[in-house]
Amino acid sequence: MGDAPGLAESEGNASDLADRAATLWPSAAIPGALHIVSTPIGNLGDISLRALAVLKEAAVICCEDTRHARTLLSRYGIGTPTIAVHEHNEASVIPRLVARLKAGDALALISDAGTPLVSDPGARLAEAAATAGLRVVPIPGASAVLAALVASGMVPHPFTMLGFPARKGKEREEQLALAARLPHAVVLYESPNRLVDTLRDLAAIAGTTRPVAVARELTKKFEHTERGTLAELIEWAKTEPKGEMVFVLSGAIKSSKDVSTLVADVLKLEDSGLRMKDAVAEIAELNGVSKSVLYQLSLDAKK
Ligand code: SAM
């Protein structure tokens, strides 16, 4: 989290919001259930009233980092006890947490930002609760994956989320090869100091002209989405200031013709009077490529 427009800079008093939310949703925290609560990815305003009610009413909040959670909890006047649950202590705390759930406690789980479990801790706790026949209740909200996807300007579904690529070795090679060959959009997390290398490695497999979008500092003051080819984004990433980022790689088009020829064919048909949708459908079928990817590329080319 960090600087953000909206509530983080607002003058209003938010410290009674959780109380008010708990009054509006008095049964939001379900006894004996593990609530997976999404929290903001930057802008503290991005939290639901139901999430506030659950956090206020839960018996305990399991946090990736209790000190980090304090910023959010104190902002909304939430004094619920917290405990740390992360990859280093999961194995030892899970049995106790499952016992508490079985005894009827309502537990909430949050991570440092966004939706827990998504490249974040919590999956083992959720699995243990589900295996014990207990309720696992999602309290949906912010996630960098969907925020980046909808900001990318690409057709958002189907999509594949690959998380952080491995730093080296065979696993990295396989992940990037998979990202490059999938026919639809692929979402990846990356740290700013590794972005150039990862885009370069991808360009070596997917080609330098593949469209990509990098969304950085989403929901925060310096939010920015840069779109272009892999070659263009590599140059941009060399000069861009640091921040949190997600990138979305456009799907592969498998065809003997190159992408620019396919797009040119679409635009030619459109010039001859066809609607772009129909022109795309015809060229996509002729060449056995994804309609949605070709449509997006044709739109981009027209801009
Ligand atoms: N669970 C989180 C979610 O639902 O988005 C993601 C956790 S993952 C450990 C953290 C990564 O998410 C960051 O390294 C960055 O790639 C991405 N991320 C988180 N907040 C972001 C933001 N405000 N803007 C862009 N990317 C963000």
Side-chain angles (χ1 to χ4, degrees), residues 1 38-43 64 111-121 142-146 148 161 164 188-192 215-220 243-247:
M1 287 190 251
S38 299
T39 60
I41 56 169
N43 187 317
E64 181 179 1
S111 62
D112 284 353
T115 300
L117 280 63
V118 178
S119 290
D120 264 345
S143 173
V145 181
L146 289 185
M161 152 66 174
F164 287 100
L188 291 125
Y189 292 141
E190 193 47 288
S191 65
R216 62 177 289 271
E217 295 291 90
L218 287 161
T219 78
K220 305 184 195 178
E244 294 201 277
M245 43 194 73
V246 180
F247 70 93

Side-chain angles (χ1 to χ4, degrees), residues 51-118:
L52 292 177
V54 168
L55 294 175
K56 180 85 190 175
E57 294 303 318
V60 68
I61 304 173
C62 308
C63 309
E64 181 179 1
D65 177 339
T66 51
R67 276 175 307 173
H68 189 103
R70 196 48 52 206
T71 310
L72 176 75
L73 300 179
S74 55
R75 177 75 187 164
Y76 288 106
I78 296 168
T80 306
T82 56
I83 59 165
V85 178
H86 43 67
E87 56 176 336
H88 304 296
N89 72 353
E90 260 180 336
S92 61
V93 295
I94 285 174
R96 270 186 282 141
L97 294 172
V98 170
R100 286 189 72 164
L101 287 167
K102 283 185 175 162
D105 277 352
L107 301 193
L109 171 73
I110 62 173
S111 62
D112 284 353
T115 300
L117 280 63
V118 178

Side-chain angles (χ1 to χ4, degrees), residues 37-236:
V37 183
S38 299
T39 60
I41 56 169
N43 187 317
L44 290 186
D46 292 335
I47 187 156
S48 77
L49 292 174
R50 185 166 161 243
L52 292 177
V54 168
L55 294 175
K56 180 85 190 175
E57 294 303 318
V60 68
I61 304 173
C62 308
C63 309
E64 181 179 1
D65 177 339
T66 51
R67 276 175 307 173
H68 189 103
R70 196 48 52 206
T71 310
L72 176 75
L73 300 179
S74 55
R75 177 75 187 164
Y76 288 106
I78 296 168
T80 306
T82 56
I83 59 165
V85 178
H86 43 67
E87 56 176 336
H88 304 296
N89 72 353
E90 260 180 336
S92 61
V93 295
I94 285 174
R96 270 186 282 141
L97 294 172
V98 170
R100 286 189 72 164
L101 287 167
K102 283 185 175 162
D105 277 352
L107 301 193
L109 171 73
I110 62 173
S111 62
D112 284 353
T115 300
L117 280 63
V118 178
S119 290
D120 264 345
R124 287 169 73 184
L125 174 58
E127 187 186 21
T131 305
L134 298 160
R135 280 188 74 178
V136 177
V137 178
I139 309 292
S143 173
V145 181
L146 289 185
L149 200 57
V150 296
S152 70
M154 294 178 201
V155 177
H157 58 83
F159 77 92
T160 295
M161 152 66 174
L162 291 180
F164 287 100
R167 293 191 164 202
K168 54 185 178 190
K170 202 164 167 46
E171 199 190 347
R172 178 177 174 86
E173 277 169 34
E174 284 173 0
Q175 282 169 336
L176 297 187
L178 173 64
R181 75 169 175 269
L182 282 168
H184 50 250
V186 179
V187 183
L188 291 125
Y189 292 141
E190 193 47 288
S191 65
N193 55 347
R194 300 189 55 82
L195 184 66
V196 173
D197 283 348
T198 297
L199 294 179
R200 267 202 199 120
D201 290 351
L202 266 173
I205 315 170
T208 52
T209 56
R210 179 78 71 87
V212 64
V214 177
R216 62 177 289 271
E217 295 291 90
L218 287 161
T219 78
K220 305 184 195 178
K221 193 168 177 180
F222 297 107
E223 175 179 306
H224 176 72
T225 302
E226 187 75 15
R227 303 178 190 90
T229 61
L230 274 168
E232 288 163 348
L233 274 272
I234 289 166
E235 288 311 306
W236 169 83

